[in-house]
Amino acid sequence: MHVRNRFLLMFVTGCLILTLAFRLTLSHAIDTGGVFGIAATAVGYFGLLFTLGWFTGSGYYRKTRRADITFSIHFISYLSFFAISLLWFIWGNRSDHEKLWHVYLALGIWSPVLLYSYVLHQRHKQDYIDGIDKSTLFE
Amino acid sequence: MGKYQELLVTWEETYKKGQLTLWIFLSLREGQKHVNEMREFIKELSQGTIVCDEQSLYRALRKFYDVSLVDFSFVKGNRGPDKKYYFLTDLGKRLLAEFIERNILLFFNERLIKLINIK
């Protein structure tokens, strides 16, 4: 398997497990915990997902000297979060206090950030040829 | 070190940066080579002015491989493991030819040859 796909597969697996655990914990926290429990769950999820992305990206960079995986990691996180969140509603696992518009609100907040990171990724791509930094290619 | 020597060394250091690519490609233009053979080629034909270690060569070759300028094949050694022999791809050959035409052959201009030969 191509190195990039191997790292992405590792990230997808970790991301899906984390997101499922997050949904489970969040629904539970909404039902039983207060604001603190909900906030701790969200911060914990973000922290763990960020750490997983960081290790995946830096491991891939150490192996290949390429930095072309960052947007893919962000996009996978976005897709996993919303796919699992919607499935959570379809499967009927949501808390009684959760509403679908909460997911749409998160979508509304995250989408512009994703779009911004896509713009950065496109700008960044001009500095690379096949994922190799142009400024270091022939040095 | 005197000022003259310092100026010369500083200019040469700057001049040599980026030359490794040309030397690697020239060595591979001669035929496929193992990293040690490349190193010897560069040392000999640059008259010892360009000396590179194996790590620098591997690092450069890995980047060139990633952008499809070089490729490699394994050749069975007499003893020990198979050796990795690098060669230029068609893209690498084309790039080298064009680079030489645009940046090296201009020094073969008669006026420049005269200027270079002035002592």
Side-chain angles (χ1 to χ4, degrees), chain A residues 125-136:
Chain A
K125 253 173 85 172
Q126 292 169 4
D127 299 332
Y128 289 80
I129 299 175
D130 291 349
I132 304 286
D133 189 344
K134 277 186 197 174
S135 65
T136 63

Side-chain angles (χ1 to χ4, degrees), chain B:
Chain B
M1 192 188 296
K3 184 180 171 183
Y4 171 80
Q5 274 300 321
E6 204 174 339
L7 285 169
L8 185 63
V9 168
T10 307
W11 186 7
E12 280 184 347
E13 274 175 4
T14 309
Y15 175 71
K16 283 175 196 169
K17 275 184 190 165
Q19 275 208 28
L20 185 61
T21 301
L22 179 63
W23 283 103
I24 290 174
F25 283 11
L26 284 174
S27 77
L28 295 180
R29 199 184 216 188
E30 195 184 53
Q32 64 170 8
K33 281 185 179 58
H34 180 253
V35 165
N36 281 335
E37 294 171 346
M38 266 182 245
R39 210 173 53 162
E40 283 306 310
F41 175 97
I42 294 168
K43 193 178 162 190
E44 185 192 331
L45 291 179
S46 71
Q47 299 180 2
T49 57
I50 310 272
V51 182
C52 48
D53 55 45
E54 265 186 41
Q55 281 310 310
S56 311
L57 281 174
Y58 275 122
R59 210 166 32 240
L61 287 164
R62 190 165 68 180
K63 285 190 280 189
F64 300 152
Y65 173 77
D66 282 343
V67 291
S68 310
L69 293 174
V70 302
D71 204 346
F72 58 82
S73 60
F74 286 100
V75 175
K76 224 168 179 55
N78 292 337
R79 267 175 285 173
D82 294 352
K83 281 186 169 180
K84 219 176 196 179
Y85 274 75
Y86 289 89
F87 58 88
L88 284 174
T89 61
D90 288 341
L91 181 67
K93 285 177 193 168
R94 217 177 82 205
L95 186 75
L96 175 63
E98 181 135 10
F99 181 87
I100 289 172
E101 199 176 316
R102 289 160 62 115
N103 300 282
I104 310 290
L105 292 183
L106 58 96
F107 286 101
F108 291 82
N109 174 298
E110 261 183 49
R111 262 172 81 187
L112 280 177
I113 289 172
K114 272 184 199 163
L115 289 170
I116 286 168
N117 284 328
I118 287 175
K119 289 282 178 188

